[in-house]
Amino acid sequence: MSNLVIFLGPPGAGKGTQAVTIAKEKNLAHISTGDMLREHVSNETELGKIAKTLLDEGKLVPDSLVIEMLQERLLSNDCVNGAILDGFPRTIAQAKSLDKISEEFKISKVIVFEADRDELIKRILNRGETSGRSDDTEKSVSVRLEVYENDTAPLIEYYEQRNLVSKINAVGEVENIYNLILKEFE
Ligand code: AMP
């Protein structure tokens, strides 16, 4: 059985940055549903066409589409040793479907990235200057933060009930935060 580690947290909390290095260190696949969807948009696939406006506006792509995409991704060879899920699940429905498809995969921990709203907005708008991401804009950021509070934050309690949650202070030096996360893997 392979382990899944979920990185949960608001947009701009640094999940992606940390997931890349931790995945390498721990020999896990890095699965970012946001990156996958952006690839679909740039390749103009059927899914990409549906997702484009939603991404631009900061809204969630429908559960069924994201679940199917993730399910397929987990079948890849690079997931045999396990994976870090960065940006999935984002709703209770996604979490429930992950529980169902997790028969070969066990959720071993959920790392919750904590940062205050002002810090998140500052980071995303800074990132927007170089990321080229069409959703790193002031308008989209407020929608993304609201969607996080309404749809995604309830997952913290969902996983707390199963004693899977570790909370990390995600404000500070990237390297210090990296070390905090590594400790959770001991
Ligand atoms: P991210 O790169 O994780 O910040 O995701 C960027 C955007 O992709 C989000 O604002 C959503 O529009 C979409 N997205 C990424 N992951 C999911 C997911 N698990 N469920 C629904 N939409 C998602």
Side-chain angles (χ1 to χ4, degrees), residues 33-34 37-38 55 59-61 66 87-88 90 94 133:
T33 45
L37 289 165
R38 280 185 287 278
L55 258 82
K59 295 177 184 160
L60 295 181
V61 173
V66 184
F88 185 98
R90 259 183 160 87
Q94 290 180 17
R133 270 179 64 166

Side-chain angles (χ1 to χ4, degrees), residues 11-160:
K15 300 184 298 294
T17 306
Q18 297 293 344
V20 170
T21 43
I22 300 273
K24 265 197 200 122
E25 174 70 27
K26 293 289 167 189
N27 194 22
L28 299 167
H30 169 211
I31 304 183
S32 157
T33 45
D35 284 350
M36 292 173 79
L37 289 165
R38 280 185 287 278
E39 210 175 303
H40 276 280
V41 171
S42 67
N43 291 337
E44 296 180 5
T45 65
E46 283 307 306
L47 173 56
K49 284 177 200 156
I50 299 168
K52 187 182 183 328
T53 322
L54 296 166
L55 258 82
D56 287 349
E57 292 175 352
K59 295 177 184 160
L60 295 181
V61 173
D63 288 331
S64 58
L65 300 178
V66 184
I67 290 164
E68 197 185 321
M69 181 181 81
L70 182 90
Q71 237 167 338
E72 209 182 297
R73 177 68 183 83
L74 284 173
L75 298 175
S76 304
N77 282 340
D78 66 329
C79 296
V80 287
N81 196 35
I84 294 179
L85 301 185
D86 159 16
F88 185 98
R90 259 183 160 87
T91 63
I92 297 278
Q94 290 180 17
K96 287 189 172 157
S97 73
L98 185 62
D99 290 336
K100 281 192 203 127
I101 58 181
S102 289
E103 271 163 22
E104 298 127 65
F105 292 94
K106 183 174 134 270
I107 300 170
S108 58
K109 59 185 115 274
V110 178
I111 298 185
V112 175
F113 288 59
E114 294 186 317
D116 63 53
R117 188 185 165 90
D118 289 347
E119 175 73 21
L120 296 167
I121 294 173
K122 197 174 84 192
R123 283 196 204 174
I124 296 174
L125 295 181
N126 264 339
R127 179 174 74 184
E129 288 172 13
T130 50
S131 69
R133 270 179 64 166
S134 52
D135 60 345
D136 281 347
T137 60
E138 221 163 324
K139 197 170 164 205
S140 184
V141 168
S142 63
V143 177
R144 287 159 69 196
L145 289 170
E146 200 184 314
V147 167
Y148 176 76
E149 284 309 322
N150 293 338
D151 297 335
T152 309
L155 292 176
I156 300 172
E157 204 192 314
Y158 181 84
Y159 290 119
E160 261 171 349

Side-chain angles (χ1 to χ4, degrees), residues 2-13:
S2 314
N3 285 324
L4 295 178
V5 179
I6 296 171
F7 280 14
L8 189 68

